[in-house]
Amino acid sequence: MASLLRSLRRRILTPNVSETKLSTRGFHVKDSQSQELLETVGEMFLTGFAYAAEARTPADAVERLEMLPMRFRGFAYEGAGMGFAILDAMPFSGGRKVADFLADPQGQNQTDLIYVGVGWAMARLPKFLWSKIHAPDPLLKWLALDGYGFHQAYFHTDKYVREQYQDPAFPWPAGGPRGYANRVIDQGIGRAMWFVGGTDVDVVADLIETFPERRRGDLFAGSGLAATYACGVEEGELRRFRERAGQYRPQLAQGSAFAAEARFRPGLVVPSTELATSILCGGTAEQAAMVCYETIPDQPDQGDVPAYEVWRTRIADQLVTLGGVSP
């Protein structure tokens, strides 16, 4: 009976895979290969969500997640993070699933993706339930807003991309530096633009350039992360994207390094990751990941500058030295 109830829960909670089709979303189609890649990413995300919705425990979901293809496994962990966060917010849930997922040995290697998935859940939950969101790491909690921004740009593209909406008083995290949340949300919007633009670097860059200059650095950072983690482009396209980034090349490189770290830690680096970091970061995926590890701040937030932003700035500065990514 319990198994049947979990199966029913999966069917009720899991979004329909048609929502990930580029035609449904109205996104740009560069070619059939890129379309297949981006739609597979969406399918794997929903697969992870479904595993979480049906799992008796997070460990049960992890066992299934680890059997998925390595190129797409991280997206499934992201989807599972969303699924467990939604389950935690439900009445009588106990609220321990995300915590247990993060504590799992394999989950510890996918912490970044799980936090991003928690942000997807925030976008689907009413704000009065955000108090149940489990994002305890003071540095990585900001990644939830990256996930929130991606969700909003992916599902509400006109409002967040074409109309460039920003919440004037975003309420999470409580006590966070005023206005900084929108910067991280922009990083998620930039990541979603890689999907909106169908991995066509000129379409993506054109979209970013419609935004005010103050927002472009974060948007390029997000798109650089997607270009490295999801990929979908060849060497010449990456060089073109780097050129189009102009003065925001350090931010583009920083996003690429975040993606390299997220793939390097669980051992999911693929050839397209190496190609992207060689062009956007000026080094290997391992070198880019090491820059992320070596620049983690050891001090809490200082005033209006969160440690997360200190970290991002340090990474960008270090990559300028490593790969000559300055304008």
Side-chain angles (χ1 to χ4, degrees):
M1 178 62 72
S3 177
L4 288 174
L5 289 174
R6 289 195 300 272
S7 179
L8 179 62
R9 184 174 68 189
R10 166 181 173 158
R11 292 178 61 187
I12 293 173
L13 292 178
T14 306
N16 192 289
V17 71
S18 65
E19 293 190 32
T20 68
K21 302 299 183 183
L22 268 62
S23 59
T24 301
R25 304 260 57 86
F27 293 168
H28 175 73
V29 176
K30 182 180 71 175
D31 54 42
S32 59
Q33 185 176 1
S34 294
Q35 180 178 4
E36 181 181 4
L37 169 68
L38 296 180
E39 291 181 349
T40 301
V41 167
E43 291 172 12
M44 288 294 102
F45 180 95
L46 291 181
T47 296
F49 183 98
Y51 286 175
E54 192 174 20
R56 182 177 58 86
T57 66
D60 290 343
V62 167
E63 185 175 348
R64 301 177 72 185
L65 289 166
E66 286 298 308
M67 298 178 67
L68 295 173
M70 62 183 296
R71 181 169 187 178
F72 300 104
R73 195 177 303 162
F75 299 107
Y77 267 91
E78 186 178 344
M82 177 187 179
F84 284 131
I86 287 178
L87 291 175
D88 280 348
M90 295 176 68
F92 312 112
S93 70
R96 287 289 312 171
K97 292 186 180 296
V98 170
D100 291 344
F101 194 32
L102 288 167
D104 184 273
Q106 295 297 338
Q108 290 175 23
N109 289 329
Q110 299 280 3
T111 300
D112 299 358
L113 279 300
I114 295 171
Y115 269 82
V116 171
V118 167
W120 275 70
M122 289 176 64
R124 292 291 177 108
L125 293 169
K127 289 181 180 179
F128 72 85
L129 289 177
W130 287 6
S131 61
K132 294 189 175 184
I133 290 296
H134 183 75
D137 190 298
L139 183 65
L140 298 181
K141 67 182 180 184
W142 296 102
L143 288 171
L145 294 183
D146 184 298
Y148 178 93
F150 185 101
H151 176 283
Q152 299 301 76
Y154 190 90
F155 288 103
H156 308 290
T157 309
D158 283 344
K159 181 176 182 178
Y160 280 84
V161 176
R162 299 184 180 94
E163 299 171 16
Q164 304 175 3
Y165 173 78
Q166 282 190 304
D167 190 321
F170 197 83
W172 193 93
R178 185 174 179 83
Y180 186 70
N182 277 326
R183 290 199 55 192
V184 190
I185 290 170
D186 272 353
Q187 292 153 38
I189 292 172
R191 189 162 58 90
M193 284 183 180
W194 192 250
F195 290 70
V196 175
T199 79
D200 186 316
V201 299
D202 283 313
V203 172
V204 176
D206 286 345
L207 285 171
I208 293 174
E209 288 172 3
T210 67
F211 280 72
E213 289 189 11
R214 62 181 173 80
R215 299 180 64 180
R216 293 178 193 174
D218 291 319
L219 295 169
F220 269 112
S223 61
L225 194 158
T228 305
Y229 200 96
C231 308
V233 286
E234 302 297 334
E235 179 177 349
E237 295 170 286
L238 285 165
R239 294 192 183 281
R240 173 65 175 162
F241 199 40
R242 181 178 180 274
E243 177 187 342
R244 288 293 303 270
Q247 64 180 310
Y248 305 109
R249 289 176 193 166
Q251 289 79 23
L252 184 73
Q254 177 270 310
S256 178
F258 263 13
E261 187 277 331
R263 281 200 174 274
F264 179 77
R265 193 193 316 179
L268 302 180
V269 173
V270 293
S272 52
T273 312
E274 294 286 5
L275 176 63
T277 58
S278 69
I279 294 169
L280 302 183
C281 300
T284 65
E286 181 176 1
Q287 287 174 315
M290 289 301 110
V291 169
C292 294
Y293 297 139
E294 293 165 0
T295 53
I296 294 176
D298 55 6
Q299 297 293 325
D301 299 352
Q302 297 294 321
D304 291 335
V305 183
Y308 183 76
E309 182 57 27
V310 172
W311 189 27
R312 294 180 63 242
T313 301
R314 287 180 179 179
I315 292 169
D317 290 345
Q318 187 69 18
L319 290 172
V320 168
T321 302
L322 174 66
V325 298
S326 58

